Amino acid sequence: MNLSKNEERDYVVIGLGSCGSVFEVPGTEIAVKKGKDTKALWNDFRLTNAVYNAFEEVRFSLRVTFPENTIPKVPFCSTFLTPKSLDLRRFPSSHHEAGAALFMDRILPLPQATREALIDTYFDPETRDEAKNDQENQACLVRIYLGENESVDEVYDSLRNFPLRLNMIEDLGLDVAALADEMAIALAVIHWQAQVDAMDAEFVLGSPCTTPEIRQAQEPAADEEPHDVHTPDFPKRSVHMWVLDFDKSKKIEPTVDAIHESLVPAFIGNDPYYPRPDVDHDLWVQFGNTYTKASRTILKRKGASSSMLKLPQLFLDAVAAKIKEHEDWDPAKDIVFG
């Protein structure tokens, strides 16, 4: 990647997260994630590219299996720079502390008309004009929360990582079923093709960048220490579901133990992206049917054994059982003071 084309323009903050701050490279479709925890960023770089490659490996098969659905996207990570190599001069002065950085596809914000519609619908009337003119709200990605409804006292003041909850999606007339299907397909790819647990991964709506569909992402081995990685330039690609942020995820083996020890905790412990049987049972059933269908497509393509083909349903059953266990938990009965 040739980063010299825009060297005269400083990076602009477009997001803040637990792993680091996210910047746009003005005049490009590149985002930079910078943080102090080199190991966490390196894990994000490795596993994001592992998941990216997994999607590209099965994209055609899934398009045949799900001709009516859109296959979600994953950002392509092109470059990783260690703290020793990272030039801090283009970062804002408040972000000049030492750190590593990864360079990846920028998930472009939702179109202006969509952003203004969200503000008009969910922001207090007295703040709407200010919100529409707030530069920070231009960096609008929407988190898709199919496992939670909006609380009555919710107040919205920013479009960054805007939480679009289940009832809001329905009120806006969006296709909830299609979003559940896409999320199920994505999770199946992550679990059974990439073999990653998806701990703390995010599912967002954004506009796609215009880079080509097919690229081979560089996926360093698990035992490699963080080191500089560069990928050469490549030469165009509406609102789309994206999956990102794998800094807390880990690789798994497709076993029963991995389901109970990794996949179920990652599902239950994440933000409420996924449908849940205790929130909308019908949507949960649809999500599960699509997840198992996508999983079987992936596993059969890999020549999986009959016992391995049962793992996706075992995962769903284990998730439902864990949620039921939490529902049945009564603190008055189950907390015992010594």
Side-chain angles (χ1 to χ4, degrees):
M1 175 181 297
N2 184 357
L3 297 177
S4 63
K5 296 175 183 177
N6 288 278
E7 281 180 350
E8 72 284 357
R9 303 183 66 182
D10 290 340
Y11 300 153
V12 177
V13 179
I14 56 173
L16 303 172
S18 59
C19 183
S21 301
V22 182
F23 306 82
E24 69 166 321
V25 180
T28 76
E29 293 182 354
I30 300 168
V32 184
K33 183 188 283 190
K34 174 182 175 288
K36 298 177 184 177
D37 191 336
T38 300
K39 290 284 189 179
L41 272 179
W42 181 247
N43 194 59
D44 196 6
F45 178 82
R46 284 196 320 107
L47 295 189
T48 298
N49 277 352
V51 174
Y52 175 92
N53 285 336
F55 271 83
E56 297 313 311
E57 289 159 2
V58 299
R59 190 174 294 276
F60 178 78
S61 297
L62 291 173
R63 282 175 171 163
V64 172
T65 305
F66 300 99
E68 303 302 317
N69 293 106
T70 302
I71 310 303
K73 297 183 183 297
V74 179
F76 173 82
C77 295
S78 60
T79 303
F80 185 91
L81 295 178
T82 59
K84 189 168 76 171
S85 300
L86 183 62
D87 184 351
L88 298 173
R89 289 175 296 178
R90 295 184 64 194
F91 291 91
S93 58
S94 56
H95 294 268
H96 277 187
E97 69 279 1
L102 62 85
F103 293 71
M104 59 185 176
D105 289 337
R106 181 184 176 191
I107 305 172
L108 299 178
L110 293 174
Q112 181 177 352
T114 304
R115 301 197 302 265
E116 293 189 354
L118 289 172
I119 291 171
D120 287 336
T121 304
Y122 296 109
F123 284 50
D124 289 335
E126 60 271 19
T127 66
R128 290 173 186 167
D129 287 341
E130 181 182 352
K132 290 177 183 178
N133 294 316
D134 187 343
Q135 288 281 97
E136 290 193 358
N137 284 330
Q138 292 184 13
C140 173
L141 299 181
V142 165
R143 291 181 174 182
I144 312 161
Y145 286 168
L146 299 181
E148 182 178 82
N149 285 308
E150 185 183 25
S151 62
V152 293
D153 56 351
E154 203 73 51
V155 176
Y156 303 100
D157 57 9
S158 175
L159 287 182
R160 283 190 179 179
N161 295 321
F162 186 82
L164 199 63
R165 297 177 171 90
L166 179 58
N167 66 296
M168 300 161 71
I169 295 170
E170 294 168 338
D171 291 344
L172 289 169
L174 301 178
D175 193 336
V176 178
L179 291 173
D181 284 341
E182 290 182 29
M183 196 174 288
I185 292 167
L187 193 61
V189 176
I190 296 167
H191 282 172
W192 308 114
Q193 184 67 23
Q195 295 182 198
V196 170
D197 66 2
M199 175 65 79
D200 213 35
E202 296 186 13
F203 294 78
V204 303
L205 288 179
S207 301
C209 57
T210 59
T211 44
E213 283 281 336
I214 300 175
R215 290 171 290 177
Q216 184 68 25
Q218 299 187 54
E219 181 185 341
D223 57 356
E224 285 187 56
E225 287 298 308
H227 57 81
D228 295 351
V229 179
H230 299 273
T231 300
D233 273 334
F234 291 88
K236 206 166 174 326
R237 324 183 285 194
S238 35
V239 171
H240 212 103
M241 183 182 291
W242 291 78
V243 195
L244 68 156
D245 284 357
F246 293 94
D247 54 285
K248 295 181 179 65
S249 299
K250 65 178 183 295
K251 281 278 196 175
I252 55 105
E253 292 297 325
T255 64
V256 173
D257 286 345
I259 287 174
H260 294 289
E261 294 170 6
S262 298
L263 300 191
V264 172
F267 186 102
I268 299 290
N270 203 350
D271 286 352
Y273 296 105
Y274 313 110
R276 291 170 57 104
D278 55 335
V279 175
D280 187 323
H281 184 265
D282 291 342
L283 193 64
W284 165 254
V285 170
Q286 174 166 341
F287 174 86
N289 289 340
T290 302
Y291 174 84
T292 53
K293 185 176 180 180
S295 299
R296 289 178 68 85
T297 296
I298 293 163
L299 290 171
K300 285 182 176 180
R301 183 178 175 275
K302 299 170 78 171
S305 64
S306 58
S307 59
M308 192 176 292
L309 290 172
K310 297 176 182 177
L311 294 179
Q313 187 60 52
L314 179 61
F315 162 71
L316 294 171
D317 292 343
V319 167
K322 183 62 69 174
I323 290 173
K324 183 68 165 63
E325 180 184 315
H326 290 175
E327 275 186 312
D328 293 342
W329 185 74
D330 183 347
K333 294 178 181 178
D334 297 329
I335 295 179
V336 178
F337 295 97

